[in-house]
Amino acid sequence: MPEPEVLTDLDVAGTDRYVMRKLPEVTLAFWVMKTAATTLGETAGDLFAQTLKLGYFLTTIALFLIFVVTLVVQLRSRRYNPFFYWTVILSTSMAGTTMSDFMNRDASAKFLTDGAKSLGWGPQGLGLGYPTGAAILISLLVVIFVIWKCTGLTFAIRDIVSFRAEALFWAAILVSNTLGTSMGDFLSDSSGLGYAGGALLVTGVLAVLVCLMRVPAVPNVVLFWIAFVLTRPLGATAGDFLTKPLAKGGLDLGTAGSSAVLLAILVGLMGYAHVQERRTAVPQDTSLTGVS
């Protein structure tokens, strides 16, 4: 009797016919939800760290633990669930916001508000600065992609269906969201462009990437990851524009109010995505898995 076929991670990653997909299709709705989630991640991270004065140290620990919990739920899920997936995206955005702030900032007066001399319990920040922090994060992201490449697993999001590939995907997401926060804060605070100028610059670069999708020599997978990183500074600058004082070029809507509105929008989009997913879901054909 012939032995049952055993599929390796490489086999599974090479085709989505064998198992349920775990990640969403990349459409316009995907990028709208990504931008909403990253903007909420910026305002919510600032809400906990700055408005509630928990500080970057405690907030980073708490939000990283939330990320781990949401990630476990996502990894244990057997198929794509919009609520699970976008909750992890949101948790990486919130954790990335405070991780970036902790790396780049310190107790200097320019990072504190209302004459405060400290921000929460524990270290106030490493004070590495945006260029150094970005260099470290870029190096980490390159290491993740090198490891990912060495495994032979696919970089294409629609074909990521194995546990190892998904774990690498989420590691890259966490680092890219942290990197994107550093880029957004640099554009808003240090480049002289301001919040609106930074958002316009990132939007312009994203428009160029859309045009490059029609160039056969440029892999769409590369464009996806560049766009994924860049939508984070877009969300960061948009979040700062909503929450910062009028004197600094913001709308002064506050972190709490902005976060509540953005959360309602994101939940509504997740609900819509869930309805669409149920309409298009195809039952899994277990006969193709080689398991009897």
Side-chain angles (χ1 to χ4, degrees):
M1 184 174 66
E3 295 182 1
E5 180 182 0
V6 178
L7 295 177
T8 65
D9 279 349
L10 285 173
D11 297 321
V12 171
T15 173
D16 56 5
R17 294 183 301 119
Y18 294 104
V19 297
M20 289 289 189
R21 63 188 177 89
K22 295 289 300 295
L23 304 177
E25 296 288 342
V26 180
T27 61
L28 178 60
F30 172 91
W31 292 113
V32 171
M33 294 181 70
K34 169 63 165 57
T35 303
T38 53
T39 306
L40 176 57
E42 177 73 16
T43 59
D46 288 345
L47 171 65
F48 292 118
Q50 300 177 23
T51 305
L52 299 180
K53 299 188 183 303
L54 296 178
Y56 302 128
F57 182 68
L58 289 179
T59 306
T60 295
I61 293 175
L63 293 179
F64 186 81
L65 291 176
I66 291 175
F67 158 68
V68 171
V69 172
T70 59
L71 179 60
V72 169
V73 173
Q74 165 67 21
L75 291 175
R76 289 177 62 87
S77 177
R78 308 185 84 176
R79 58 167 297 161
Y80 169 60
N81 183 304
F83 287 99
F84 294 166
Y85 175 84
W86 289 107
T87 298
V88 185
I89 292 291
L90 176 58
S91 67
T92 61
S93 297
M94 292 191 298
T97 296
T98 55
M99 288 169 63
S100 170
D101 289 344
F102 182 74
M103 290 178 62
N104 300 324
R105 301 180 178 184
D106 53 28
S108 301
K110 62 180 178 179
F111 296 129
L112 302 175
T113 58
D114 302 325
K117 295 182 179 180
S118 63
L119 186 63
W121 180 86
Q124 302 300 307
L126 300 179
L128 299 177
Y130 297 124
T132 302
I136 293 173
L137 292 167
I138 290 173
S139 299
L140 287 175
L141 194 57
V142 169
V143 169
I144 291 173
F145 282 133
V146 168
I147 295 174
W148 196 340
K149 179 67 174 178
C150 291
T151 64
L153 297 171
T154 180
F155 285 101
I157 182 174
R158 69 182 301 276
D159 294 330
I160 294 177
V161 291
S162 69
F163 178 88
R164 286 195 300 168
E166 192 181 359
L168 289 166
F169 170 81
W170 288 115
I173 294 300
L174 178 62
V175 176
S176 65
N177 274 336
T178 308
L179 172 62
T181 302
S182 296
M183 294 171 61
D185 288 341
F186 172 76
L187 291 174
S188 299
D189 300 336
S190 303
S191 69
L193 294 174
Y195 306 121
L200 287 175
L201 175 61
V202 175
T203 302
V205 176
L206 289 173
V208 172
L209 295 180
V210 172
C211 295
L212 288 176
M213 290 178 61
R214 300 181 179 276
V215 179
V218 182
N220 282 348
V221 171
V222 174
L223 296 177
F224 167 83
W225 281 105
I226 295 174
F228 204 98
V229 172
L230 288 178
T231 49
R232 184 64 184 97
L234 178 61
T237 52
D240 285 338
F241 180 65
L242 292 172
T243 60
K244 298 302 181 183
L246 296 174
K248 292 186 176 182
L251 296 180
D252 199 18
L253 299 180
T255 54
S258 299
S259 297
V261 172
L262 289 167
L263 179 61
I265 293 173
L266 184 59
V267 170
L269 291 172
M270 287 193 293
Y272 174 78
H274 184 68
V275 171
Q276 293 297 106
E277 180 66 20
R278 288 176 63 89
R279 288 178 178 175
T280 59
V282 178
Q284 181 181 7
D285 185 358
T286 57
S287 65
L288 295 177
T289 63
V291 179
S292 56

